[in-house]
Amino acid sequence: MMVKKVILALLLVICFVSVQAQTNDKDQKPLEKIADPDNLASEYFSQIMGVALSATSNLKLYQFVYDWIGTPYRLGGGTKKGIDCSGFAFELYNKVFSTLIGNNSRNIFSMVNPISKSELKEGDLVFFKIGSRSITHMGVYMGNNKFAHASTSKGVMISDLDEAYWRKYYYKGGRLLASLRD
C-alpha cells in the first residue's frame, strides 16, 4: 500500500513538472530551472537515471532525457521513431534551452568554447573521436561524469565518461558560445 502511494506521489510530481515545463516553454529563457521545492522530482530522476541531482539541477533537462531514453538510433533521424547523436543534442537544446544548434557533431563543435573535462556543467556538450581523426559522436553532459547520447547499439541512453570505451575516445567538452544562448 505504501509503495503504491509513493509511486502515485512521484507520478504526480512528474506530471506537474511536465505541465509546468509545457506552459513555460514560450516564455522560458535559456538555462532556466523548474521549481521542485520538495526535491521529489530530483530524487526520482536520481534513482531512475542513476545521476545524482541537486536542488539546483535543471529538471527540464532531466525530464527531456528521461522521455527519450530507449529511443532507437537512426542515422539522420530526429524523432522518437529514431534519432542520431547530433539530432538528439539538437532536439534537447531546442526544447530545453530554446536554442538552435547545428545538425551534425562537427558543425556543433564549431559553435562551442572548448572546455576541460573538469569544467563540465549540466547541459555542456561532450565530443568523441571514435576510430577517426574527426569528431564522430557527441552527447550532453548531465553531471557526475554522466552524459546522455544516442548510441548506435542501444539508442538514447546515459553513459559514464569514466567507462574505458568513452575515456579512450573522449575528445573535448564544449560550452555553447554565449552569443548563441541569448
Side-chain angles (χ1 to χ4, degrees):
M1 184 73 161
M2 182 65 169
V3 173
K4 289 181 181 178
K5 288 182 179 180
V6 170
I7 290 172
L8 180 60
L10 288 173
L11 289 173
L12 288 171
V13 168
I14 291 169
C15 288
F16 171 77
V17 170
S18 180
V19 168
Q20 188 74 19
Q22 290 173 1
T23 58
N24 288 340
D25 264 353
K26 293 178 184 170
D27 301 324
Q28 190 167 14
K29 295 175 186 171
L31 305 177
E32 191 171 303
K33 311 281 189 228
I34 295 173
D36 182 25
D38 297 327
N39 290 328
L40 292 175
S42 295
E43 289 176 24
Y44 176 77
F45 289 127
S46 292
Q47 291 174 3
I48 297 298
M49 297 168 66
V51 178
L53 305 179
S54 69
T56 60
S57 293
N58 184 332
L59 290 177
K60 192 171 181 184
L61 170 67
Y62 289 90
Q63 177 70 53
F64 180 89
V65 171
Y66 178 75
D67 289 345
W68 282 77
I69 293 284
T71 298
Y73 179 88
R74 192 177 95 215
L75 183 62
T79 69
K80 294 257 180 128
K81 290 183 178 182
I83 197 160
D84 65 14
C85 63
S86 57
F88 177 71
F90 177 88
E91 287 297 318
L92 186 148
Y93 262 79
N94 184 29
K95 299 289 191 278
V96 174
F97 301 122
S98 301
T99 302
L100 293 177
I101 61 173
N103 57 1
N104 71 56
S105 54
R106 288 179 292 273
N107 153 320
I108 294 170
F109 184 73
S110 71
M111 302 172 77
V112 303
N113 281 323
I115 56 175
S116 69
K117 203 184 273 192
S118 63
E119 296 176 284
L120 288 170
K121 295 181 180 176
E122 286 177 347
D124 285 340
L125 300 167
V126 289
F127 299 90
F128 302 86
K129 291 183 175 182
I130 302 171
S132 174
R133 290 179 180 243
S134 58
I135 295 168
T136 57
H137 189 65
M138 67 175 299
V140 179
Y141 189 72
M142 303 293 291
N144 301 332
N145 244 22
K146 308 275 190 198
F147 69 102
H149 63 114
S151 155
T152 56
S153 60
K154 296 182 181 174
V156 176
M157 62 183 293
I158 295 175
S159 296
D160 194 315
L161 290 171
D162 282 334
E163 291 173 21
Y165 181 83
W166 298 114
R167 207 172 40 242
K168 178 180 178 180
Y169 295 113
Y170 182 82
Y171 175 58
K172 287 187 180 173
R175 187 162 299 139
L176 204 58
L177 297 169
S179 61
L180 298 171
R181 289 183 291 191
D182 298 332

